[in-house]
Amino acid sequence: MLNDEICKLRDKLNKSIETGQDYNLTYQLSIELDELIAKYYKESEKNKK
């Protein structure tokens, strides 16, 4: 589930970079992606224990 969200957001971020969209939008997408990735790793560490 989280992995799917990460993939979708990464695609959206890449598209915003490729099309030269506003920097603020690209930056916001990047922040959201970083937060999702951090959440993914946090949950994955929790599941290992």
Side-chain angles (χ1 to χ4, degrees):
M1 182 167 117
L2 248 175
N3 197 24
D4 291 338
E5 290 180 55
I6 289 170
C7 289
K8 288 177 187 175
L9 193 54
R10 184 180 57 223
D11 289 342
K12 195 173 179 179
L13 174 61
N14 287 339
K15 189 174 279 189
S16 84
I17 293 168
E18 291 170 0
T19 59
Q21 291 186 1
D22 183 55
Y23 173 79
N24 289 323
L25 173 65
T26 302
Y27 182 68
Q28 185 60 40
L29 290 171
S30 178
I31 290 171
E32 290 175 28
L33 181 58
D34 287 347
E35 290 172 352
L36 274 180
I37 291 170
K39 186 176 180 180
Y40 174 82
Y41 280 112
K42 188 175 185 179
E43 286 185 11
S44 125
E45 283 297 314
K46 188 186 290 184
N47 290 335
K48 286 182 182 178
K49 292 181 181 181

